[in-house]
Amino acid sequence: MSDTQSDGGDCTEHRTAVTEAEVEALVRGICFKTGPPRTLGVELEWLVHSLELPQLPVSPERLEAAYTALRAVPLGSALTVEPGGQLELSSPPAASLMECVDTVSADLDTVRSVLAKDGLGLAGIGHDPWHTPRRFLHEPRYDAMETCLDRTGPAGRHMMCTTASVQVCVDAGHEEPGPLGHARRWWLAHQLGAVLVAVFANSPLRGGRPTGWQSTRQLTWTEIGAGRAGAPPLDGEPRTAWARHVLDSPVMCVRRENGPWGVPDGLTFREWTRSRSPRPPTRADLDYHLTTLFPPVRPRGHLELRMIDAQPGEDGWLVPLAVTAALFDDPEAAERAYRTVKPLAERALNRPAPHNPLWVDAARFGLADPELREAADTCFAVALEALPRLGATARVTDAVAAFRDRHVARGRCPADDLLDRLTATDPPRSGPAGGARTAYGRKDIRT
């Protein structure tokens, strides 16, 4: 969400009005950059909480002081702040899984050390189990976003202020067909995405109470609506389908140099290029429009997988990163993952994610869904075979194996651990490590 793109400054190209045909050509050219998969990245969003009293909100002044201290320390990853004060670390593109892991691990150690000096910690949970949405950042972008999203209900404010995720970024893939071809990877991301939602669901609470969904965060994205947070249909060529989706999606805002930004109601980018009102759209407006679309898989030259809830523990984020990397970048694993999830596609009923029955069931039931559990079990076995071929160390493979044994093999997801602590009827044998356990342990979650 914090991925703002440059508007090009005073670049004449970016200030020149664009036509509908030019927009389509630009989107087709910039959103799928094909070639051999060589790089990997991860974006980690975290809830920031008081180590002593996590159920109480952290004051804006305390957050600002902590973030000022963080900006003064060197990090390999980009550090940004989300509208509700969530912290995000975005790794640079890495040439290998272990390069990505090592960079982000070192940065997290630094971040945790700086925050701890002020009594603050990081919690990996997909939706804040305690706090109502409260905006920390007050900027024209987020003022406009709030106004726009409020038209469809409260889900937008929850998304902006109380959610956190693990977003895995993989290269778009080869131009040619095959298990690493871009068309196959685009399709796989949307079908495997439902399995990833179910496996890593970790947001069953809102306001201290169960919502009835294992991933309340995914429910929130679904409620925002297909135009803003939906995928295009998968029955066409990816570039064509995405370009059409971009043109037909509603414009969130028309930026102004002075004063509040305009928030049109129902104006698509296609209609804007045709009407050229309230002013002609420019290349910079197109670049900005692309950052206001939040599909579960977003093509940005690479593929950004956005469907995974934030994970508990200091190293919980390693598991979705490693599993996703293995299933996308190892050719044998990618082919086996494709065959594993292909039968699930029938449940989607040809409707785009996440607004189809497959994705809804994944968010509601997690791995209590038998078909999703079976697919997850196979995908984890395939990933564990592939990870050594990607150079994964024992730290990574052990984390994936432990997650499989604790959750996948038992038809559970991290949300079940949170619910166990809430009810205190079946507490887990060993809670998640690090700040998440301190912050949201059994004694701290009350009905």
Side-chain angles (χ1 to χ4, degrees):
M1 263 195 38
S2 61
D3 49 338
T4 55
Q5 296 181 1
S6 170
D7 64 4
D10 292 329
C11 175
T12 302
E13 176 188 357
H14 280 67
R15 291 187 289 110
T16 302
V18 290
T19 66
E20 180 179 341
E22 288 170 336
V23 169
E24 183 171 2
L26 284 167
V27 172
R28 289 174 62 91
I30 64 179
C31 289
F32 288 90
K33 292 184 171 65
T34 53
R38 291 195 178 101
T39 59
L40 179 71
V42 69
E43 301 175 15
L44 304 180
E45 296 173 343
W46 301 89
L47 305 176
V48 179
H49 62 90
S50 166
L51 291 173
E52 287 190 8
L53 297 170
Q55 68 273 29
L56 298 181
V58 180
S59 70
E61 295 77 16
R62 192 176 177 190
L63 280 179
E64 185 55 48
Y67 294 158
T68 298
L70 279 175
R71 294 185 186 104
V73 299
L75 297 171
S77 304
L79 184 146
T80 52
V81 178
E82 295 293 303
Q86 311 97 307
L87 192 69
E88 179 176 312
L89 281 178
S90 301
S91 76
S96 69
L97 171 61
M98 290 315 303
E99 179 183 318
C100 185
V101 167
D102 290 344
T103 297
V104 176
S105 295
D107 289 341
L108 281 172
D109 287 344
T110 300
V111 168
R112 287 191 173 101
S113 176
V114 172
L115 291 178
K117 293 177 182 177
D118 193 31
L120 299 176
L122 302 175
I125 302 179
H127 190 288
D128 193 315
W130 282 113
H131 307 133
T132 57
R134 182 188 64 166
R135 203 138 58 86
F136 172 70
L137 297 180
H138 294 275
E139 302 171 0
R141 168 182 171 86
Y142 297 122
D143 292 343
M145 182 182 292
E146 184 176 278
T147 299
C148 176
L149 296 180
D150 277 352
R151 290 170 177 159
T152 57
R157 295 196 182 202
H158 281 274
M159 177 274 288
M160 293 173 66
C161 299
T162 60
T163 62
S165 68
V166 174
Q167 298 175 17
V168 181
C169 301
V170 297
D171 284 336
H174 290 283
E175 187 68 27
E176 300 78 13
L180 300 186
H182 78 283
R184 171 74 68 86
R185 288 161 77 85
W186 177 245
W187 185 93
L188 178 63
H190 288 88
Q191 306 305 334
L192 180 63
V195 179
L196 297 176
V197 169
V199 169
F200 298 111
N202 188 37
S203 50
L205 305 174
R206 181 188 289 166
R209 296 180 179 276
T211 62
W213 293 72
Q214 297 290 67
S215 179
T216 302
R217 173 182 167 274
Q218 189 58 53
L219 168 64
T220 298
W221 282 113
T222 303
E223 291 174 337
I224 288 173
R228 184 70 53 201
L234 295 181
D235 55 0
E237 194 275 326
R239 289 187 179 94
T240 301
W242 179 246
R244 184 181 299 118
H245 183 74
V246 168
L247 278 162
D248 291 334
S249 292
V251 174
M252 177 174 284
C253 55
V254 177
R255 294 173 297 168
R256 299 174 178 144
E257 292 185 4
N258 299 302
W261 295 358
V263 185
D265 190 0
L267 176 71
T268 68
F269 206 91
R270 189 187 303 277
E271 292 166 344
W272 193 10
T273 63
R274 293 175 177 178
S275 69
R276 303 173 74 82
S277 176
R279 59 167 175 77
T282 66
R283 167 67 188 273
D285 291 318
L286 171 61
D287 290 345
Y288 193 82
H289 177 61
L290 292 171
T291 73
T292 68
L293 303 180
F294 309 116
V297 183
R298 184 160 62 177
R300 304 182 61 212
H302 55 271
L303 301 183
E304 182 183 78
L305 279 68
R306 304 171 51 85
M307 71 288 297
I308 302 169
D309 281 0
Q311 296 297 289
E314 292 186 0
D315 285 346
W317 59 275
L318 284 176
V319 180
L321 171 63
V323 169
T324 303
L327 298 179
F328 274 84
D329 289 348
D330 180 85
E332 180 182 344
E335 180 61 30
R336 293 175 64 185
Y338 170 77
R339 294 199 303 265
T340 297
V341 301
K342 191 173 182 180
L344 294 175
E346 295 181 5
R347 289 176 59 180
L349 301 180
N350 290 322
R351 299 177 192 169
H355 302 87
N356 65 51
L358 176 63
W359 278 67
V360 169
D361 288 348
R364 185 189 293 272
F365 303 116
L367 292 187
D369 183 293
E371 287 185 300
L372 289 167
R373 176 182 176 178
E374 182 179 358
D377 189 65
T378 300
C379 286
F380 265 71
V382 169
L384 283 167
E385 292 178 13
L387 282 171
R389 298 194 291 267
L390 296 181
T393 63
R395 173 194 174 196
V396 173
T397 56
D398 288 351
V400 173
F403 187 99
R404 177 199 59 190
D405 295 343
R406 177 180 173 83
H407 293 106
V408 179
R410 301 170 60 197
R412 293 172 59 89
C413 55
D416 292 303
D417 295 343
L418 284 173
L419 292 170
D420 284 349
R421 291 181 208 130
L422 177 69
T423 60
T425 58
D426 184 21
R429 294 184 180 88
S430 58
R437 182 178 186 181
T438 302
Y440 299 102
R442 177 177 164 191
K443 293 182 179 179
D444 292 316
I445 293 183
R446 304 181 180 90
T447 55

